Amino acid sequence: MVILLIIFALAVFVLPNIWAKWVLKRYTKGRDDYPGTGAELADHLLRRLGVEGASVERTEFGDHYDPETRCVRLSPDNYDGRSLTAVTVAAHEVGHAIQHFQGYAPLIARSRLVGVAQKAEKLGALLMMAAPFLFLLTRLPGGLAIVIAMAVISFGTAAVVHLVTLPVEFDASFNRALPLLKEYVPPADMAGARHVLTACAFTYVAASLASVMNLGRWLVILRR
């Protein structure tokens, strides 16, 4: 039983990330027939679509869209790269900028929850670890249950954020980026572009499952 649980955990946590990295790396080969880099395509799309106030920057902290600064940030390989991965990832992040510009509700909800979730997750972890000691100190009837309930609510906000993230990522990939890429990427490369977009979104599926399972693990520990 334990071995099966370990295999399942590896399948949930490790395999999706390995697959996503493999897909992204598979299409990083430079393409001379592409008219521009990932950054150039992102900048072009933002201007073409009239996404006001948005910009493109190079980052060392992973490809993402920052709604606070309205900035599409691309890793060096995708910023300067002229490959299928570079232009596809750029289009995906531009998809988030379009969502923000158009007031896409799930993106706005996620942005509001992220800051709260980060603080709540830290508080939840501290409360869960401190729950037995707090109970010994207070010795109030139901005191431990109250502390655990507070911790679960706090810690569970991370799972909520990840679940809200899923429709945001799939919408950015397949409702925003994919139609745009059809205008810039050769038809023969579209199957690869779909794989890259799936990889971009699928990393968050793994993160969501991991977050839910992590919360469940804490609950099992506290029930003992």
Side-chain angles (χ1 to χ4, degrees):
M1 184 66 177
V2 175
I3 295 176
L4 290 176
L5 288 175
I6 292 174
I7 294 173
F8 178 73
L10 287 173
V12 170
F13 299 135
V14 178
L15 294 181
N17 287 324
I18 292 176
W19 176 81
K21 290 178 180 178
W22 176 79
V23 169
L24 293 173
K25 186 176 181 180
R26 179 183 178 186
Y27 297 102
T28 55
K29 183 179 179 180
R31 295 286 298 270
D32 294 333
D33 56 330
Y34 282 10
T37 64
E40 289 170 339
L41 177 61
D43 184 68
H44 168 74
L45 290 174
L46 292 172
R47 287 186 287 106
R48 174 198 152 186
L49 298 171
V51 183
E52 299 175 1
S55 60
V56 185
E57 291 181 359
R58 183 187 285 104
T59 183
E60 299 293 337
F61 301 102
D63 306 286
H64 64 280
Y65 171 71
D66 184 349
E68 291 188 5
T69 60
R70 294 183 178 272
C71 185
V72 171
R73 295 199 172 102
L74 301 174
S75 60
D77 287 343
N78 293 329
Y79 188 95
D80 298 312
R82 197 184 295 259
S83 66
L84 182 58
T85 291
V87 298
T88 303
V89 170
H92 172 84
E93 300 306 336
V94 168
H96 287 310
I98 298 170
Q99 290 173 335
H100 192 191
F101 183 67
Q102 295 180 346
Y104 182 61
L107 176 68
I108 295 173
R110 183 183 71 173
S111 299
R112 291 174 178 172
L113 284 171
V114 165
V116 176
Q118 290 174 343
K119 296 177 182 178
E121 186 174 5
K122 293 178 182 178
L123 176 61
L126 288 173
L127 285 173
M128 284 185 170
M129 288 186 289
F133 303 102
L134 292 174
F135 177 68
L136 290 175
L137 290 174
T138 59
R139 294 190 177 280
L140 295 174
L144 181 60
I146 294 173
V147 172
I148 291 175
M150 291 173 59
V152 169
I153 292 172
S154 300
F155 204 67
T157 54
V160 173
V161 171
H162 284 304
L163 291 174
V164 171
T165 294
L166 296 182
V168 175
E169 293 301 320
F170 280 101
D171 179 80
S173 279
F174 300 107
N175 293 338
R176 317 281 179 166
L178 187 60
L180 293 172
L181 286 169
K182 289 178 180 179
E183 302 178 29
Y184 297 92
V185 173
D189 291 338
M190 284 308 300
R194 288 188 179 90
H195 290 159
V196 173
L197 289 172
T198 302
C200 289
F202 204 71
T203 54
Y204 291 90
V205 174
S208 299
L209 292 173
S211 182
V212 172
M213 289 185 66
N214 195 31
L215 177 59
R217 179 176 63 87
W218 275 105
L219 292 174
V220 170
I221 292 172
L222 289 170
R223 286 181 61 185
R224 292 178 180 177

